[in-house]
Amino acid sequence: MDAHLDLAYNARALGRDLTLPLEALRALDPHPDTPLVTLESLKEAGVAVAFATLFADPREGGREDWEEEVYAQLALYEAWEARGLVRILREGRDLKDHLSRYPEDRTLGLVLLLEGAHPLAFPEDLRPLRARGLRLLSLSWATQNPYAGGNAEEGPLTERGRALLKEMEALGVALDLSHLAEEAAWEALKAYRGPVCATHANCRALNPSSRHLSDELLKALAARGGVLGLVPYNAFLEPGWKRGQKRLPLDAFLRHKAHAEGLMGPTGVGLGTDWDGGFGLEAIPQGLDRHRDLRALGDEGFLGGNWLRWLLRWF
Ligand SMILES: [Zn+2]
């Protein structure tokens, strides 16, 4: 399982055809960042379920643009589903059905995640998205929005944010703490009684950045039965790593894994690669080229069992 892939953003914002084989996409991709993911590379690796995002960059355009982009990305996932390329897991029965069919047809299952609530004008705007399959939401993305502060713009959980958490509880939408300002994350953990996780974040103790989770927050997440998805991305592993520098050894990733497992237990940690648009092959640790290489990083629980058990508890 991969708990964070911005597949539709990657396809739309970077114009990549993710239905191509990875080598074919790499051969014709014009961007300096070498592509890391296609639907085929996920199939080859045996990724059975991915949390697939709906994401509009809040630094570009306004709320109506973001809403339009989110619905366009949703339509892309639905089009892939109509072609038999993926299965969108909307309800518990879809997940159970998927798990029984996956070993034979190896069709990727997608659980939809809205990354940042900024496209929603009001908390009630979550309902039509839930009706089309949305099951996870992170309140903010980097910047502050009407619901909560973000990792790059500190701020609390607002009244509208609290109303959105109530809506999520009622609709069965889980809370992703990634990108949330620390203050807002503590408030959200108190206010929200549904399932919590962090789909893509690393250990702040090893990389002191507000983008990552403090030891206290990791422990609180584990106490709620939540899972952390670790990101094999060099800039998230070591402070100061910059684009263009030498790729880090795999050890840089394994240190975060050991630290998180020390705080959350081995059942609390998995993968959330975030491998797509934002960075490429040049920015991930040595020894990793595509999803199949992740298999060397951990046991069955780390590679998917932990996320799957979390999902099966509430989905
Ligand atoms: Zn994302």
Side-chain angles (χ1 to χ4, degrees), residues 60-82:
E60 292 163 17
R63 203 209 50 83
E64 283 168 15
D65 305 301
W66 306 331
E67 182 180 62
E68 196 180 312
E69 178 60 23
V70 158
Y71 276 93
Q73 291 185 12
L74 177 58
L76 176 64
Y77 290 132
E78 290 170 344
W80 283 350
E81 183 177 50

Side-chain angles (χ1 to χ4, degrees), residues 4-6 53 55 113 115 141 179 200 274 276:
H4 198 95
L5 283 173
D6 306 271
T53 68
F55 171 70
L113 156 65
E115 186 164 14
W141 187 87
H179 286 291
H200 62 317
D274 208 6
D276 31 48

Side-chain angles (χ1 to χ4, degrees), residues 208-224:
S209 148
S210 54
R211 177 64 184 79
H212 304 300
L213 301 186
S214 65
D215 286 359
E216 293 70 29
L217 207 47
L218 289 175
K219 282 191 262 184
L221 183 58
R224 286 280 290 268

